Structures are given as structure tokens and as C-alpha cells.
Amino acid sequence: MKWQGDKDRILIKDLKSIIDSSATIRGRVTEIRDLGGISFIIVVDRSGLCQLVIDSRQKLPVLQSIVACTGRITANEKAPTGIEMYVEDLEVVSSPEKELPFNPARLNTPIRSDGPNIETLFNYRGLSLRSATHQSIVKLTSELLRAIDDFFRSRDFVEIKTSKIVGGGTEGGSGLFEVKYFERVAYLAQSPQLYKQTLAATPLERVFEIGPAFRAEKHATIRHINEFTSIDVEMAFPQGMDELMDIQEDLIKHCIAHLSSTCQDTIGILETELPKIDGDIPRLDLDQAKEIVTGVKPTRSKPAQDLTPEEEHKICQWALQHHNSEAVFVHSFPVSKRPFYTMRQENPRKTQSFDLILRGLEISSGSIRVHDPKLLKANLEKQGLNIESLSSYLEVFQFACPPHGGFGIGLERLLQKLLNLPNIRYACLFPRDRNRIEP
Ligand code: AMO
């Protein structure tokens, strides 16, 4: 192999400015059509694709080879991008030594639940990521992260990264992964909840973190994974739950606007549409939401507990029909359904908590937090949690803490719903579920 460096390389997107001259491109072979005398080969690089025209008597590269091709660039309306290269020299830099299980170009179609087998796609993730469809999700995710980052920084939030090896759980119901930590057992963090609260209690006041969160849940559904990316937000002195919901509403609208101006290519490839949110996102008390979807008014003796997945779908249909919004906030969940750090309302059976449901799926949860150490201790005791293991967290409150609150959004669920993907796994690079830790 004689790799010459890429000094003489030109990116495919720049070929249109040098029509009728000679150039060298480097990239990957994604399609080959042998028409007898001549062959058409598609080569892609990070900037686009180019059709090569080559004499079929020459030894042709095989699919997925990495090539360096030199030739004359000409305009041709019939070529996929309006230009093509008449190859004078083609060097194969690297070619597959193993048979491909599938041709990644065959995945260049919108993602549908009855599409190619999802397990095969993830078994050969390195290959499926070579398709335009899967790469476009990666690019859109990168733009989404930029939009989130810009949004929070422009509102005085400081980005933090906290440890993912922790001494205990924070999120009640969901399970913990154990890790051997020298002579002790440690756990993978379910959420940065306690750390973000600790930071919001400092004069920084406003923080956000985008990082991994681990849940040892045995679910096998289209909306659960065991490692997800959590977008965590925490702020001191919020003007109640409404300010937290306002911030989240502005964030979602900002993300949709940013993606719609930067990612039309991806949206086109996926043949999808970003969610519609005209005007305000409606905000419903859980009891109201339950009554809308079941037709039965919850009572004091039989209060609403939560929404089922079917009810989450129904409440979004209602929001679209009545408010032109594919998103809806549901708030005021009962104490029994929220973690120990959640502040109660004047009605002590309800909490100052909320979920955002987008296109039928809960994508985030948030609340005003308890900042009184006595109340916090009482909650921990009531829930049978180990106060000792949370002593350094409790000290944050014992040393005085401002009122504060925040929320956490699952990045992959957000992507799943923004792009209408049939399974959360398509929004992950390398999904982790009950049956998969490879690749
Ligand atoms: P919660 O446990 O509701 O709240 O999680 C917040 C959001 O994280 C995402 N999520 C998941 N995504 C994919 N697979 C999973 N198994 C999974 N579990 C959770 C969801 C969910 O809405 N500390 C609180 C947040 C807060 O109050 O600030 C928390 O973690 O999108």
C-alpha cells in the first residue's frame, strides 16, 4: 500500500469549481454499476459524493474500498450531483478482506419499523453507520447538542461534568448497576441529580450537564435503553415550577428552530417532519390530563397516579387537536410517584413536579426540590433510604441552601421523537440494552 498523505486531495464538494480540470479525490466506494464497456462508481467523502466513469476492462475496486482517484472533472446533468470524474488513475488504498454482511448503501432509505433487521444493523454498527441515513442522524445529533449548549450558555448556565461512579442511587424505582471498586461496591450513576443540586446551591446558581446515565431496568421496549445521555439542568431561585417549564419550553422551541434551519438534508433523507408547536405548550394538572384521556374525573379517594403509555399518546393527540402542539406538560404528580427530593405542594399529597410529553412519549421530568434538611431527612426515612450514605448530600442543605429546581431530558428520547424514529435505539450510536453490550 503506498499511502501518499492527502496533500493533493480535493474535497468532493469543491469539484464543481474546477470543471474541465484534473483532480484527485479520496474516499469510499459505495456503489458500482458495470454497464459493459464502462462502469459508474460512486465515491463518498465527508463533503459529498461523486460519480466516477471508468473503463470496465480495468480492475475495478470492490464495494466499500478506500480509493484515491485522479481524473478529469466534467459537467453532466445526468450524473447524481451534476458532475463526474473520468478516471485516469485509481489507487485502492484499502479494500475489505471479509465479505460484507450487507451493503450499507441499501440502508439509504427512511427508517421504518418494517425496515432492515434492527439487530443486524447494530451487530454491524460500523457498517450501518456508513449509510447516509445513519450518518445523517449522527450529524443532526451534533447540531442538537450545539443548540442545547448555546441555549443554556446564553442564559447564564455553566456546563458541568460530574462523576459517574457513585456510592448509591437517586431515582428510586430504577435499578443500579454494581461496579467493583477496589475493596468496595460502587454503582454507575442513574443521574447527576445530587451533584447538580449541590452545584445549584453554590453561587454559580445555574448549571447544566450532558452526560451518560445508567439504569439497570429489565425493560425491552422501543423507548428504554440501559445507558442514555441525560441533559440535566438545575437552577437556584426559580419562580416556581412554571419558570422551569418556561425554560424547557423555550429550549425545545429553540432546538426545533435550529434543526429546521441547519438539518433540512437529514430531515429530507429521513422523510420526516419536526414536531409542530404553534404557540404555547399546554400545561395540565395530572388529574385534568387523566380526565381528558379516560373521561373519568379522579377523586380524593381515587386520585390519578400516572399516565400509561397509551394515555401519553392520547394526551398528545388532544394537545395537537386543541392547541396545535405535539407537546404537552403534565404536572402535579402524587408524592408516591416522585423521588424523595421532590417538593410537595400545599396539598401535601401532590408534588411540584412535571413531565414533558412529546409525540406520545415522556421525554423529561423535573421538579422544585426540597431544600430544608429536616424535610429531606423525613422524606428519606419515609422512603426507607439510607441517610448515612447520603450524609455529604444532606450537608449541602445543613450548610444552608437556596430554593432550587430543575429537570432532566433523555437525549435519545428527544431525538426519537423529534425525528419520529420507530425505536429509541436508532437515536444511539452504540445502544446498550439487556441483550447488547457489543459493539
Ligand atoms: P427520570 O428518571 O424521569 O428523572 O429521567 C429523566 C428522563 O431521562 C430519560 N430516561 C430514559 N431514556 C431512555 N431509557 C431509559 N431507561 C430512561 N430512563 C430515563 C427520559 C426521562 O424523562 N433526576 C431526574 C430528573 C430531574 O428531576 O431533574 C430523573 O432522572 O427521557
Side-chain angles (χ1 to χ4, degrees), residues 160 162 171 191-202 205-209 230-235 341 365-366 369 404-409:
I160 56 168
T162 62
E171 302 307 325
S191 120
Q193 183 65 34
L194 308 188
Y195 296 131
K196 67 175 177 173
Q197 284 188 254
T198 304
L199 268 296
T202 70
E205 290 190 16
R206 294 178 163 214
V207 292
F208 74 106
E209 173 166 7
S230 188
I231 303 158
D232 272 279
V233 182
E234 200 70 20
M235 65 185 279
Y341 51 75
S365 298
R369 325 298 189 184
H404 62 287
F407 53 87
I409 307 176

Side-chain angles (χ1 to χ4, degrees), residues 160-192:
I160 56 168
K161 297 288 174 201
T162 62
S163 177
K164 302 304 159 205
I165 301 178
V166 295
T170 51
E171 302 307 325
S174 33
L176 282 163
F177 285 112
E178 278 188 15
V179 197
K180 193 171 172 312
Y181 193 71
F182 303 107
E183 292 75 35
R184 295 192 272 164
V185 171
Y187 304 95
L188 295 180
Q190 294 167 311
S191 120

Side-chain angles (χ1 to χ4, degrees), residues 119-148:
E119 295 306 327
T120 312
L121 284 184
F122 287 105
N123 287 343
Y124 298 98
R125 191 57 170 146
L127 267 192
S128 59
L129 283 168
R130 290 181 190 180
S131 72
T133 301
H134 290 263
Q135 280 169 57
S136 71
I137 298 176
V138 180
K139 284 196 199 160
L140 182 131
T141 308
S142 166
E143 281 304 328
L144 178 59
L145 289 169
R146 184 208 298 265
I148 294 168

Side-chain angles (χ1 to χ4, degrees), residues 171 191 193 196 215 217 223-225 228 232 341 362-367 369 406-410 413 424:
E171 302 307 325
S191 120
Q193 183 65 34
K196 67 175 177 173
R215 305 278 169 105
E217 297 160 341
R223 59 183 199 282
H224 287 97
I225 37 181
F228 66 95
D232 272 279
Y341 51 75
E362 174 214 304
I363 60 154
S364 93
S365 298
S367 65
R369 325 298 189 184
F407 53 87
I409 307 176
R413 282 196 184 180
I424 190 170

Side-chain angles (χ1 to χ4, degrees), residues 146-155 247 250-251 254:
R146 184 208 298 265
I148 294 168
D149 214 79
D150 287 348
F151 177 87
F152 284 116
R153 284 169 193 275
S154 72
R155 294 186 176 218
I247 291 178
D250 290 350
L251 169 71
H254 171 76

Side-chain angles (χ1 to χ4, degrees), residues 80-329:
T81 56
I83 52 168
E84 56 194 8
M85 172 187 277
Y86 280 82
V87 176
E88 289 150 13
D89 183 50
L90 187 145
E91 178 195 343
V92 176
V93 178
S94 165
S95 61
E97 60 171 36
K98 227 177 136 172
E99 196 185 331
L100 302 175
F102 54 82
N103 175 359
R106 298 280 162 271
L107 306 180
N108 290 346
T109 54
I111 293 177
R112 308 265 185 255
S113 47
D114 58 356
N117 182 286
I118 187 166
E119 295 306 327
T120 312
L121 284 184
F122 287 105
N123 287 343
Y124 298 98
R125 191 57 170 146
L127 267 192
S128 59
L129 283 168
R130 290 181 190 180
S131 72
T133 301
H134 290 263
Q135 280 169 57
S136 71
I137 298 176
V138 180
K139 284 196 199 160
L140 182 131
T141 308
S142 166
E143 281 304 328
L144 178 59
L145 289 169
R146 184 208 298 265
I148 294 168
D149 214 79
D150 287 348
F151 177 87
F152 284 116
R153 284 169 193 275
S154 72
R155 294 186 176 218
D156 275 357
F157 283 81
V158 175
E159 183 158 13
I160 56 168
K161 297 288 174 201
T162 62
S163 177
K164 302 304 159 205
I165 301 178
V166 295
T170 51
E171 302 307 325
S174 33
L176 282 163
F177 285 112
E178 278 188 15
V179 197
K180 193 171 172 312
Y181 193 71
F182 303 107
E183 292 75 35
R184 295 192 272 164
V185 171
Y187 304 95
L188 295 180
Q190 294 167 311
S191 120
Q193 183 65 34
L194 308 188
Y195 296 131
K196 67 175 177 173
Q197 284 188 254
T198 304
L199 268 296
T202 70
L204 290 172
E205 290 190 16
R206 294 178 163 214
V207 292
F208 74 106
E209 173 166 7
I210 301 175
F214 303 88
R215 305 278 169 105
E217 297 160 341
K218 291 180 180 168
H219 303 294
T221 74
I222 55 167
R223 59 183 199 282
H224 287 97
I225 37 181
N226 294 107
E227 177 182 355
F228 66 95
T229 307
S230 188
I231 303 158
D232 272 279
V233 182
E234 200 70 20
M235 65 185 279
F237 306 111
Q239 307 284 308
M241 292 198 288
D242 271 313
E243 186 178 2
L244 298 176
M245 288 190 268
D246 288 346
I247 291 178
Q248 205 178 338
E249 176 161 349
D250 290 350
L251 169 71
I252 297 296
K253 289 178 175 168
H254 171 76
C255 290
I256 293 176
H258 180 78
L259 296 179
S260 127
S261 69
T262 56
C263 294
Q264 281 307 325
D265 283 6
T266 307
I267 294 161
I269 289 174
L270 294 173
E271 290 179 15
T272 191
E273 271 176 35
L274 293 170
K276 180 159 118 166
I277 304 177
D278 296 346
D280 296 341
I281 298 180
R283 298 174 187 188
L284 299 169
D285 179 288
L286 175 65
D287 286 344
Q288 278 177 296
K290 200 75 175 180
E291 187 177 351
I292 289 170
V293 292
T294 62
V296 182
K297 199 178 169 71
T299 59
R300 240 184 120 75
S301 58
K302 232 174 156 219
Q305 293 296 310
D306 213 340
L307 294 181
T308 63
E310 292 71 39
E311 289 168 350
E312 287 181 346
H313 271 287
K314 280 193 187 160
I315 202 67
C316 282
Q317 280 165 0
W318 175 88
L320 183 58
Q321 210 179 348
H322 295 269
H323 295 266
N324 254 331
S325 166
E326 290 189 79
V328 52
F329 281 107

